[in-house]
Amino acid sequence: MSSQEEPVSTSTTTPDPVVVGIDGSPSSTRAVRWAALEAARRNTRLSLLHVWTPVPASVPHAAALGAYEDALVAQARQWLADAESVAREAAPDVPTGSSLVEGSAAARLIGRSAAAQLIVLGSRGLGGFTGLVVGSVAVAVATHGHCPVVVVRGDDDEIVRQDGPVVVGVDGSPANRDAVRFAFAAAAARSVPLVAVHAWSDLPLTTSWELTTATDLVQQHAAEELTTWLSAAHAEHPDVTVEPVIAHGGPAQVLLARAGAAQLLVVGSRGRGGFRGLLLGSTSQAMIYHAACPVAVVPSPPH
C-alpha cells in the first residue's frame, strides 16, 4: 500500500524541519500548534508525521483485513489534513508538509530526528493513557533521538501559554551544556527571561549550627559554580536576562515547582552520573510525566 510522503527539498540552504507526531488526539493538536509557532521562530519548515502499523502477515486472516487497513490510512490522512489546517492557522507563513508512513512510531521518529532540528510530541495519545503513550514513544525518542525532543504537556482544553520564562535545570555536567545552550536560544527567541535552576540535596550534618554554616557555604559555592556553568551560553545570548536559582531539594521536585509559571522547561537527557546507553535520566523522565508546561529534553553529546 502506498503512503503519502513529504516532498524533500534538494536545496542545501533549506533548514532541517521541526517534526511533529500526529495521532488525531487533542494532545496532538496542541503539539501541532506549539510546533508551528516554534517553526516560525526558527524560520524553518514544519513536517507533520503520522505512523500507522499494518496488520502483521502472521496474524490469522491478515489478508482479509485489507479494508481495515484502508480505513486506518484514510483516517490518518484526515488527521494530517486537520493538523495542517491547525498549523496554518497558528503560523500561516510556515511551509508545512506531511508524511504518512508505516512502521513503529518511536523508530520512525528516531529516524527522522537525525535530520531534524526538533521533534515535537503530545503528552497523551488517543485514549488518554499518559504512561502508555509517553512511556512507549516520547521517552523512547528522547532516549535515543539525535535532536532535542519537546513533549507538549498541559491540559488539553487550554492553549499552550506563550508567556512566562524559560526554565532550565543546570547541574554542571558535560551532558548538560547543550541543554543550557538550547535554553538560552529559546529564551532569546521568545524575548523572555531564563530561570537557571541548580538543586542540591541534604547535608549529612547533625547540629543546627553545622547545618546553617554549611548551608551558607554550599549556597555561595553553588552560586559561583552556576555562574561559571552559564557563562559560555550567556556570552552567545548577552541580551537574555538570567535569574539564577539555587534551591535545596531533589532536582525533579525543584524543577516541577518552577514549571507551573514557565512556558518551557529544558532538561538534559542525562545528568551527573549518567552513562550513555542507559535509560533516560530519572529527572528528565519525571519532567515528561509530571511537568505543567512543555518539556524539552536535549540529548547528551556523543562520546
Side-chain angles (χ1 to χ4, degrees), residues 222-250:
E224 293 171 353
E225 284 194 322
L226 182 58
T227 299
T228 300
W229 294 336
L230 298 175
S231 59
H234 201 181
E236 297 173 359
H237 301 282
D239 294 335
V240 172
T241 299
V242 178
E243 177 188 346
V245 175
I246 309 298
H248 174 249

Side-chain angles (χ1 to χ4, degrees), residues 174-188:
N176 187 240
R177 292 170 187 163
D178 286 349
V180 170
R181 291 191 186 96
F182 181 98
F184 266 98

Side-chain angles (χ1 to χ4, degrees), residues 120-219:
V120 182
L121 302 170
S123 61
R124 288 183 288 276
L126 290 177
F129 296 102
T130 304
L132 173 64
V133 175
V134 169
S136 61
V137 179
V139 168
V141 178
T143 302
H144 302 292
H146 305 282
C147 72
V149 175
V150 172
V151 180
V152 181
R153 290 195 49 79
D155 295 331
D156 287 336
D157 59 350
E158 294 181 357
I159 297 175
V160 178
R161 65 184 304 168
Q162 299 297 313
D163 60 345
V166 172
V167 175
V168 59
V170 186
D171 66 11
S173 66
N176 187 240
R177 292 170 187 163
D178 286 349
V180 170
R181 291 191 186 96
F182 181 98
F184 266 98
R190 292 162 172 77
S191 300
V192 299
L194 175 66
V195 179
V197 179
H198 175 64
W200 60 277
S201 300
D202 290 331
L203 297 170
L205 302 173
T206 55
T207 69
S208 59
W209 180 86
E210 286 178 322
L211 183 58
T212 300
T213 302
T215 297
D216 291 342
L217 291 174
V218 168
Q219 292 279 124

Side-chain angles (χ1 to χ4, degrees), residues 38-103:
E38 183 66 13
R41 293 188 191 99
R42 293 167 176 258
N43 191 30
T44 191
R45 298 177 294 126
L46 177 65
S47 178
L48 312 172
L49 175 66
H50 177 79
V51 183
W52 72 283
T53 304
V55 177
S58 59
V59 172
H61 312 295
L65 296 176
Y68 170 73
E69 290 190 343
D70 289 343
L72 285 180
V73 172
Q75 178 65 82
R77 286 180 175 150
Q78 183 60 55
W79 285 338
L80 285 168
D82 293 344
E84 190 159 354
S85 296
V86 170
R88 293 193 184 284
E89 180 181 356
D93 296 329
V94 170
T96 303
S98 62
S99 301
L100 176 59
V101 298
E102 300 177 12

